[in-house]
Amino acid sequence: MPKVTIDGTVVEVPAGTNLIEAARQAGVAIPYFCYHPYLSIVGQCRICMVEIEGAPRLAIACATPVTDGMVVRSETSARVKEARDAVMEFLLANHPLDCPVCDQAGECLLQDHSFTEGRDTTHMVETRRTFPGLERRLLGPHIVQNQNRCIHCSRCIRFTQEISETAALTYKSRGNHAFIDTFDGQPFTDPFSACTADVCPVGALTIREFRFRKRAWKLRSTPSVCPGCSIGCNLWIDHHERTVYRFTPRENPAVNATWLCDFGRFLAESLNETHCLHPLHRVEGQLHRVSWGEAMRALALDVSAARTLRVVASANLSNETLFLARELFVRHLKGELVVPVHPGEPRRMKNGKGEWLYSRDAHPNSEGARRLGLELVDGERLARFLYGAADLTVILDPTAHPYLSTAEALQLLRVSPTLSLARTNHPTAEVASWLLPVASLASDEGTFTSSGGHVQRFQPAFSPAGEARPAWQILQLLARAMGVSALDLDSPAAVFAAMATKEKGFSGLEWERLGGGSPSTYREHQHVG
């Protein structure tokens, strides 16, 4: 591999690596606007110019591959400093000075580079160029356009051409009057439309749902996995004061590169929906609040005494929760357990190699359930499973299948005592004998197994609301109350270790190496909490 010296630091990088990425490994941040590691290189912005020993002119780092023995100066070159100052002055000549009200503030590359590379004076005395009618314009259902801020980096255009492959965005008009618009003038309905706001280095394209809701510097980011389908896209949960404000993509070249589809992205708000906050017990038709200790003691007796026990699990639950459910209800208590699944809308995602990954599975962990040997059933088989009386029916996730919301399912559940874990208002609450509050993904920890076979870890962003607990912990408390010492595991890591020793599909995997613990190698702004 070639060795290159950048600002006095020698690094060895793979052949073909450009100078921006080589400098990143040397701890040197070369500024850029139009460059993106998963988009084609166009060299439009010219802010990434560096001085190469022996070269007569400055070179743009994004389009210059390393060669063995190359000596590069970036921060230590006066020529580079002068060139970058000139580029910044050019870019800011027409840029509006609306940073205090711009939603990109705190995440703006122009802001950052203006501070580090720009001048405190300008030669611009002419009237700034404007785009009447293209300010605060709803370009599509999720994207707001402020064309006055655009620096014509073409990232959004290249994204629709190369990644989403819709070619929806393009330049219109010419020269100083060029602006971003959809190719045919229709609304921008790309299923990955919000990614164009991700790649926009300024505030020209912003996401309508997040716009003006929270300043970026107040957010903290927690690594997680998208619950929208089985592809398993990596994401950040961006939150503040125990409220989730958005999902943003987290780099994983094997799965989603740095992209996130609109469907998965806008599931973020659903994590804030929490209605069940305390353990409840139905007595003579009325639900009464009880403590966790009372609930566990009573349920331990009911579950132990149940001669016919049936359990409805969910492919939305983590591997750790499904493992505990199987060990407790099936192998220890000899009950029956099924995992209802249903198809969702077709989803697809492009990985770092430019390959499409496809899914019609609406659940993030169907593959994990298969690896644990659990029975996956559709709505018809779920109905047959619930038919007839049982001493106890346990529903670990009422949202596991649409059938559980139907009048028929509720009528079947009325026949037997029912224990249900719940987070939001759900029709099963009308018939449940016990309701236990369960935490959302934002307050849970564990792993999902994607349809591609990737076992990926997600972390808790903040503590659960009220008295809610993660599902794995509820099962662990129940096992402890029943005296099942083998399942008295005090963390998801301990559960995963036990699972990895018993299950072939998880053998050889180590909790610490499953991802989610370290910041992304590519994220232009970090809000890691």
Side-chain angles (χ1 to χ4, degrees):
M1 293 194 299
K3 291 184 178 179
V4 58
T5 303
I6 303 176
D7 283 352
T9 301
V10 180
V11 291
E12 190 174 3
V13 297
T17 303
N18 66 42
L19 287 177
I20 288 181
E21 295 300 332
R24 199 192 304 273
Q25 295 185 40
V28 177
I30 295 178
Y32 58 83
F33 291 114
C34 66
Y35 172 73
H36 190 285
Y38 294 101
L39 296 176
S40 61
I41 293 173
V42 291
Q44 289 180 204
C45 69
R46 320 304 286 184
I47 192 69
C48 67
M49 287 186 289
V50 294
E51 183 178 357
I52 301 175
E53 189 174 277
R57 292 180 295 274
L58 299 181
I60 52 174
C62 63
T64 306
V66 300
T67 59
D68 193 41
M70 181 182 281
V71 177
V72 180
R73 286 186 286 274
S74 175
E75 303 299 326
T76 59
S77 170
R79 290 176 64 198
V80 168
K81 173 64 175 173
E82 183 181 6
R84 290 178 182 172
D85 284 353
V87 170
M88 283 304 306
E89 185 175 9
F90 175 76
L91 291 175
L92 292 170
N94 285 302
H95 195 80
L97 300 178
D98 59 353
C99 295
V101 297
C102 178
D103 204 49
Q104 192 78 1
E107 296 182 309
C108 178
L109 288 183
L110 192 67
Q111 215 174 40
D112 295 344
H113 298 335
S114 177
F115 184 79
T116 58
E117 314 291 342
R119 299 170 175 170
D120 57 3
T121 59
T122 179
H123 296 92
M124 179 70 174
V125 294
E126 291 80 7
T127 303
R128 293 177 185 271
R129 173 205 60 197
T130 59
F131 292 89
L134 298 181
E135 282 297 283
R136 298 177 293 278
R137 170 198 181 198
L138 196 61
L139 189 62
H142 303 297
I143 297 297
V144 178
Q145 179 184 23
N146 286 77
Q147 183 60 37
N148 287 348
R149 301 170 183 164
C150 180
I151 61 170
H152 298 86
C153 70
S154 79
R155 273 184 172 190
C156 58
I157 294 175
R158 282 178 283 147
F159 174 83
T160 62
Q161 291 174 342
E162 301 165 13
I163 305 302
S164 67
E165 298 181 3
T166 62
L169 296 182
T170 187
Y171 283 128
K172 289 187 176 178
S173 193
R174 298 285 184 179
N176 198 44
H177 302 288
F179 64 95
I180 301 294
D181 199 1
T182 54
F183 183 81
D184 55 2
Q186 298 299 311
F188 182 42
T189 56
D190 191 306
F192 296 86
S193 66
C195 287
T196 61
D198 290 337
V199 299
C200 181
V202 293
L205 300 179
T206 52
I207 298 174
R208 179 177 62 86
E209 286 81 355
F210 179 69
R211 193 172 163 96
F212 302 130
R213 293 193 60 211
K214 185 64 64 172
R215 283 302 193 181
W217 55 80
K218 291 189 175 182
L219 295 173
R220 295 293 177 265
S221 298
T222 301
S224 192
V225 178
C226 180
C229 75
S230 65
I231 293 177
C233 296
N234 288 214
L235 55 79
W236 298 98
I237 297 178
D238 290 345
H239 58 95
H240 182 241
E241 295 180 340
R242 297 174 63 175
T243 298
V244 175
Y245 284 93
R246 64 179 181 180
F247 287 164
T248 47
R250 181 166 60 99
E251 185 182 23
N252 186 332
V255 183
N256 62 311
T258 56
W259 318 122
L260 201 60
C261 76
D262 288 354
F263 173 77
R265 183 188 300 263
F266 296 118
L267 293 176
E269 289 290 335
S270 66
L271 301 188
N272 296 322
E273 298 173 5
T274 304
H275 305 121
C276 186
L277 299 175
H278 309 283
L280 301 173
H281 183 211
R282 191 179 302 276
V283 179
E284 296 180 354
Q286 298 295 320
L287 286 172
H288 298 274
R289 179 175 168 179
V290 295
S291 68
W292 274 105
E294 293 172 322
M296 289 298 104
R297 287 191 293 271
L299 283 170
L301 295 174
D302 290 350
V303 172
S304 299
R307 291 174 297 176
T308 54
L309 174 66
R310 58 190 180 194
V311 181
V312 179
S314 170
N316 300 327
L317 300 175
S318 68
N319 291 313
E320 293 70 25
T321 301
L322 291 175
F323 174 76
L324 287 174
R326 188 198 67 181
E327 294 296 296
L328 177 61
F329 296 123
V330 179
R331 297 196 172 175
H332 181 73
L333 295 171
K334 309 303 179 185
E336 294 182 88
L337 185 149
V338 297
V339 180
V341 293
H342 63 95
E345 293 294 322
R347 310 287 175 202
R348 65 176 186 167
M349 177 54 62
K350 187 167 283 188
N351 64 18
K353 295 181 180 180
E355 303 164 337
W356 283 112
L357 307 179
Y358 296 90
S359 174
R360 287 191 61 93
D361 188 343
H363 309 279
N365 202 30
S366 297
E367 180 60 26
R370 291 188 186 94
R371 290 192 180 191
L372 289 168
L374 301 177
E375 182 184 5
L376 275 63
V377 300
D378 57 16
E380 183 177 345
R381 292 169 66 188
L382 177 60
R384 291 200 299 268
F385 180 75
L386 294 177
Y387 186 80
D391 290 336
L392 183 64
T393 299
V394 178
I395 300 177
L396 297 180
D397 177 15
T399 66
H401 196 282
Y403 176 76
L404 292 173
S405 300
T406 64
E408 179 184 358
L410 297 180
Q411 186 59 38
L412 292 175
L413 291 174
R414 284 190 178 94
V415 176
S416 309
T418 301
L419 160 64
S420 178
L421 275 59
R423 179 171 65 89
T424 61
N425 290 331
H426 191 273
T428 53
E430 302 172 6
V431 298
S433 308
W434 290 91
L435 275 177
L436 300 181
V438 69
S440 72
L441 177 70
S443 301
D444 200 356
E445 185 175 12
T447 59
F448 289 144
T449 306
S450 73
S451 53
H454 301 282
V455 180
Q456 302 181 113
R457 179 178 158 201
F458 55 89
Q459 294 188 18
F462 44 80
S463 58
E467 294 184 68
R469 296 174 183 262
W472 70 266
Q473 191 176 59
I474 295 174
L475 295 178
Q476 182 261 343
L477 290 173
L478 182 58
R480 179 184 296 176
M482 296 175 63
V484 185
S485 58
L487 299 182
D488 193 4
L489 305 168
D490 61 357
S491 69
V495 178
F496 186 86
M499 181 171 60
T501 60
K502 291 185 176 183
E503 302 302 321
K504 183 178 179 180
F506 299 93
S507 62
L509 298 177
E510 298 180 21
W511 177 260
E512 292 78 11
R513 297 187 178 182
L514 293 177
S518 60
S520 168
T521 56
Y522 176 79
R523 197 188 190 195
E524 289 167 342
H525 297 276
Q526 297 284 349
H527 313 294
V528 180

